[in-house]
Amino acid sequence: MSAALQSFEAALRGRPVDALAPMRAESMRRFLELGLPNSADETWRYTSLRSLAARNYVDAPRVDAGAQGASWLAAASRMPPVRIVNGFAELGDGSAAERPGVAIRGLRALAAQDPQWLLGRIAPVTDTDEERWALLNRALFVDGIHIRIDSPVPDPILIVHVAVLGAANSAVHSRVIIEAAPGATATIIEHHVGSPGAAMLANSATQIDLAADSSVEHYRVFSGNESMTHIDALAVRQARGSRCRQFTVALGGALVRANLRAYLDGPGATQDSHSLLVGHGARHVDCVATVVHASPHTTSTQTSRAIASGTGRVVFNSKVVVAAGADGSQSNQSARGLLLSPTAEIDTRPQLEIHADDVKCAHGATTGRLDPDMMFYLLSRGIDRAAAQSLLIYAFLDDVLTGMSSAAARSAIENALIAELPDAELLRTFR
């Protein structure tokens, strides 16, 4: 086994034996048998984990993060956050977690109080390469939060995942379970951050279960430092008439791998996913989105906007599967990439797998440089070249942000995006 696999196995041996131990052991056994994914695996062909495999990882300790890993989303939006620091839930006095229609509890406490109840809510994971790290999270998570939404919740729920370096090659495995009751609605934002200079591995997993006619708008924002590795698995299961709008925003980290798997399991279920992927410098961003239409008359859209500069690389791999009998399903995939340097790379791969006849599915993907006609238009209006380029880049990426219903979250994300672009001060005047 590689050094990483050996260290993960050792981490499980160091866990206390509890009611979750059999599930953890089985998950680890499967993970070790399958091994780390590599370029021979379908959804990992553009992303190498060689350097990660050579490292010996240790569990990040439980710490008081203090001012480390502060969330600019929390600061700008003034939302009271629920924090998960190095995988441990910090519910504090409960003020951030207590609001009408919502119940938020720590997984570690739930495992001690009613382990069978918790086991029934931890979603199964397949052996596919796209879910390999979710399998490891199932084996090694120590804590996290469970969110139960029972009615319409007007204010967004902000979860801040903080990774604080305790030792070299620290690893964090955090987990979030979200359940929405019939007719319930909520906006949930997950912000992944890391303390400055921390070369850490953050392997997180979130599952969202939507009951009939419920609706959730979910955000996951990655803004770790340039030494961080973020690997995140998001699994969504939707019942009849449910609606999920999902936003994935990658603005930081050395390597970001964001996986989405949505299962539309009831007629009328709707899934809209949006990805804003920024690969500046030497950053590597890999986003995989799979939507399974398992019931008739279900609808999905996948929209991706990617930008790469320097030696950055961005990957967007999307797949829509229409199962047999899922007649009347509709799907559309749109992936557009913008290259800003000759050494940058963007790979897009929209796919359709259709096993029903009466469906309406389409996909399209384009990658290129800035439109010379649009550039000429701005230059002819007296705008200098650098400013014109910044305006076009911002307009290209802002296409994803327009669908966000949380004005506070959108404004904070726009500010963070603008800070990464040239002529930031000028761009702020156009907002």
Side-chain angles (χ1 to χ4, degrees):
M1 291 192 296
S2 67
L5 290 181
Q6 293 180 54
S7 64
F8 294 144
E9 184 181 32
L12 181 60
R13 288 199 302 267
R15 297 282 193 277
V17 176
D18 57 16
L20 304 185
M23 178 205 70
R24 296 185 187 280
E26 174 62 14
S27 299
M28 180 60 72
R29 182 192 63 79
R30 289 162 56 196
F31 178 79
L32 294 176
E33 286 182 355
L34 295 165
L36 292 174
N38 55 52
S39 59
D41 292 301
E42 185 67 20
T43 68
W44 290 86
R45 62 169 58 185
Y46 302 112
T47 300
S48 172
L49 298 178
R50 288 180 189 171
S51 61
L52 184 152
R55 296 174 183 169
N56 285 292
Y57 286 98
V58 296
D59 285 337
R62 187 168 191 170
V63 297
D64 180 4
Q68 298 185 75
S71 167
W72 45 258
L73 251 172
S77 63
R78 298 184 180 179
M79 302 178 200
V82 175
R83 302 214 309 170
I84 303 176
V85 180
N86 282 358
F88 293 90
E90 286 190 354
L91 299 182
D93 59 4
S95 58
E98 292 176 1
R99 61 191 76 190
V102 179
I104 302 179
R105 294 179 291 175
L107 297 185
R108 188 181 179 92
L110 286 172
Q113 296 166 6
D114 194 345
Q116 294 307 314
W117 182 91
L118 180 58
L119 281 169
R121 280 157 175 77
I122 298 175
V125 179
T126 68
D127 288 347
T128 59
D129 58 87
E130 62 185 289
E131 295 195 281
R132 194 75 49 81
W133 286 90
L135 196 59
L136 181 65
N137 179 281
R138 204 167 183 260
L140 292 181
F141 81 92
V142 291
D143 199 1
I145 59 174
H146 176 273
I147 302 177
R148 171 74 182 182
I149 305 162
D150 293 311
S151 62
V153 180
D155 298 321
I157 301 168
L158 175 61
I159 305 165
V160 179
H161 298 259
V162 183
V164 180
L165 186 65
N169 295 326
S170 295
V172 175
H173 307 273
S174 60
R175 192 173 193 90
V176 175
I177 301 174
I178 301 166
E179 294 183 310
T185 62
T187 296
I188 299 175
I189 303 169
E190 296 188 67
H191 189 192
H192 297 262
V193 300
S195 58
M200 299 180 66
L201 166 65
N203 174 34
S204 52
T206 296
Q207 60 182 78
I208 303 175
D209 294 309
L210 301 181
D213 301 315
S214 63
S215 176
V216 164
E217 182 166 303
H218 177 266
Y219 303 61
R220 54 178 172 174
V221 182
F222 303 94
S223 61
N225 65 71
E226 296 307 311
S227 300
M228 283 286 299
T229 296
H230 291 280
I231 300 178
D232 184 72
L234 173 61
V236 183
R237 182 173 288 271
Q238 299 184 227
R240 172 185 54 81
S242 62
R243 298 167 300 283
C244 180
R245 178 175 291 181
Q246 203 284 319
F247 295 90
T248 296
V249 180
L251 297 176
L255 167 63
V256 177
R257 162 74 180 214
N259 190 75
L260 164 66
R261 185 171 183 84
Y263 197 81
L264 308 185
D265 201 21
T270 300
Q271 162 73 218
D272 294 321
S273 62
H274 307 263
S275 303
L276 192 162
L277 312 172
V278 179
H280 283 337
R283 189 181 305 155
H284 187 108
V285 180
D286 186 346
C287 184
V288 177
T290 303
V291 179
V292 179
H293 291 253
S295 293
H297 305 292
T298 49
T299 304
S300 71
T301 62
Q302 297 178 355
T303 303
S304 170
R305 297 295 179 261
I307 181 173
S309 64
T311 58
R313 187 172 188 179
V314 176
V315 181
F316 182 70
N317 191 341
S318 64
K319 185 176 185 179
V320 170
V321 179
V322 181
D327 296 317
S329 293
Q330 298 185 47
S331 174
N332 185 67
Q333 301 172 73
S334 170
R336 294 175 58 194
L338 183 60
L339 290 167
L340 298 182
S341 75
T343 53
E345 185 172 345
I346 296 177
D347 301 283
T348 56
R349 192 180 178 214
Q351 304 167 71
L352 291 171
E353 184 179 311
I354 301 174
H355 302 280
D357 295 325
D358 182 20
V359 300
K360 185 183 293 185
C361 298
H363 62 68
T366 61
T367 298
R369 304 194 182 280
L370 288 172
D371 187 337
D373 293 334
M374 292 299 297
M375 178 67 78
F376 176 78
Y377 175 83
L378 292 178
L379 294 175
S380 68
R381 295 301 185 270
I383 300 175
D384 67 77
R385 180 170 293 276
Q389 175 176 292
S390 295
L391 287 171
L392 291 176
I393 294 171
Y394 177 67
F396 173 81
L397 297 175
D398 197 56
D399 187 35
V400 167
L401 304 180
T402 55
M404 293 181 174
S405 67
S406 172
R410 174 181 172 177
S411 178
I413 292 170
E414 283 182 336
N415 284 335
L417 172 62
I418 287 172
E420 291 211 357
L421 300 177
D423 296 295
E425 291 302 321
L426 174 67
L427 290 176
R428 291 190 181 95
T429 66
F430 282 86
R431 292 181 55 206

